[in-house]
Amino acid sequence: MNNKGKYFIVLIILFANLLIGAYYNFYLRDIFFVSLLILVIFFRFVDVGHDKLLLFLSAALFGCCLLNIYGGLVNSNLFLLACSFAVILLLIFPFEWMLTRLTSFCLENNYLKASLKLVDYRIFLGKNPEILSAKGAILCLLNQFEESLVYLNESEELGNTDPFLYNSLGCSWVNLEEYEKAYHYFKLAVDGNPNNIEYLINISYTLIDLNDYDGALYYFIKASEINEHDWRLKELKSLIEKNKANKN
């Protein structure tokens, strides 16, 4: 979505806030506070720039929160206190950091669809190479290989050279049986992080598919030097030996 579309959406939200406030006879102060909150959320979390304006709005909102806290203490209004403290936390802690941590938690616990929704939300707020790479990797895990390549390729075009991206590209290509392309990206991943056992195992399996058993054995040995007890290595060694024997 372009910036004009984002501005249009926030204007609709502000107008709706004004109508709701007027309908329920809210104080002008309350309508102003919520409108200010909407603008801060918009300029902070949506990638449209205007850092100086965001700083001014955030300072104004912080001041309003302090006044609300004072009013909540004087009037024993726990709801107002809780809301004001919540907004201050929103101003202090980076939203992207929280969203990234939540996405990582979902991935670690194999909640792939939940991870995908979180990543889609972050992309709506603004694209960057890392988040595109994350979406591509999740789609790959969901066996949506062609769609995953769309996001992974876009991430690479934006200058991402992270080994994780290259490994994800390799995984997508290998599942589409494009072994030469998969090898190219697995090689980039290994060159970028030669101590990652997953990357070494992936390139070894791909070289088996390319009938390069000596190459596969080379990366198998590299992986064994990192962790000879990894459960995947026994199956990999057996496959290499079996294919080499059949070739001879």
Side-chain angles (χ1 to χ4, degrees):
M1 180 182 293
N2 59 30
N3 286 349
K4 289 183 179 179
K6 294 174 182 178
Y7 286 129
F8 181 70
I9 289 173
V10 78
L11 283 174
I12 291 175
I13 295 172
L14 287 170
F15 184 68
N17 175 59
L18 180 62
L19 289 179
I20 292 170
Y23 180 79
Y24 286 102
N25 295 318
F26 290 155
Y27 291 112
L28 186 60
R29 178 192 62 202
D30 297 328
I31 297 173
F32 172 76
F33 178 79
V34 176
S35 298
L36 191 57
L37 177 60
I38 291 168
L39 287 172
V40 168
I41 291 173
F42 175 75
F43 283 110
R44 181 171 177 182
F45 300 152
V46 181
D47 187 20
V48 293
H50 305 293
D51 291 339
K52 290 183 179 179
L53 178 59
L54 171 59
L55 184 62
F56 173 76
L57 292 172
S58 298
L61 184 59
F62 189 81
C64 289
C65 288
L66 292 178
L67 290 174
N68 283 341
I69 289 172
Y70 174 76
L73 289 171
V74 170
N75 299 308
S76 301
N77 189 332
L78 295 178
F79 178 76
L80 183 60
L81 281 172
C83 289
S84 299
F85 276 117
V87 172
I88 287 176
L89 289 174
L90 191 69
L91 291 171
I92 294 173
F93 291 102
F95 179 74
E96 289 185 19
W97 180 86
M98 291 187 288
L99 189 60
T100 301
R101 297 284 76 75
L102 186 57
T103 304
S104 298
F105 171 80
C106 290
L107 277 173
E108 289 167 3
N109 291 276
N110 207 35
Y111 301 135
L112 298 180
K113 292 186 177 179
S115 299
L116 189 60
K117 289 184 182 296
L118 290 168
V119 167
D120 281 336
Y121 180 56
R122 178 61 188 86
I123 289 175
F124 171 77
L125 297 178
K127 289 183 181 180
N128 63 48
E130 290 73 23
I131 204 67
L132 291 168
S133 175
K135 180 165 185 178
I138 295 168
L139 288 169
C140 183
L141 291 171
L142 289 168
N143 299 325
Q144 299 176 36
F145 307 116
E146 291 183 357
E147 189 177 354
S148 76
L149 285 171
V150 173
Y151 293 93
L152 295 172
N153 286 330
E154 187 177 357
S155 178
E156 185 181 21
E157 289 168 4
L158 290 173
N160 192 355
T161 58
D162 193 284
F164 174 79
L165 167 68
Y166 293 138
N167 184 68
S168 299
L169 279 161
C171 290
S172 292
W173 282 120
V174 82
N175 280 286
L176 293 171
E177 299 183 359
E178 293 281 356
Y179 301 118
E180 291 285 355
K181 292 179 180 178
Y183 169 73
H184 168 71
Y185 283 110
F186 284 140
K187 183 67 168 60
L188 289 174
V190 169
D191 289 344
N193 187 355
N195 295 317
N196 187 302
I197 193 169
E198 181 183 351
Y199 301 167
L200 293 165
I201 290 172
N202 286 341
I203 196 172
S204 185
Y205 271 113
T206 304
L207 286 167
I208 293 172
D209 292 322
L210 291 169
N211 300 318
D212 182 357
Y213 307 119
D214 290 333
L217 183 60
Y218 171 79
Y219 287 107
F220 163 79
I221 293 171
K222 290 287 186 183
S224 300
E225 290 172 354
I226 295 171
N227 182 7
E228 62 180 345
H229 301 295
D230 190 294
W231 62 271
R232 295 167 292 182
L233 293 178
K234 183 177 181 181
E235 181 182 344
L236 176 58
K237 183 180 180 182
S238 176
L239 189 61
I240 293 171
E241 292 174 344
K242 178 181 176 182
N243 278 280
K244 284 192 74 171
N246 290 338
K247 182 180 179 181
N248 297 329

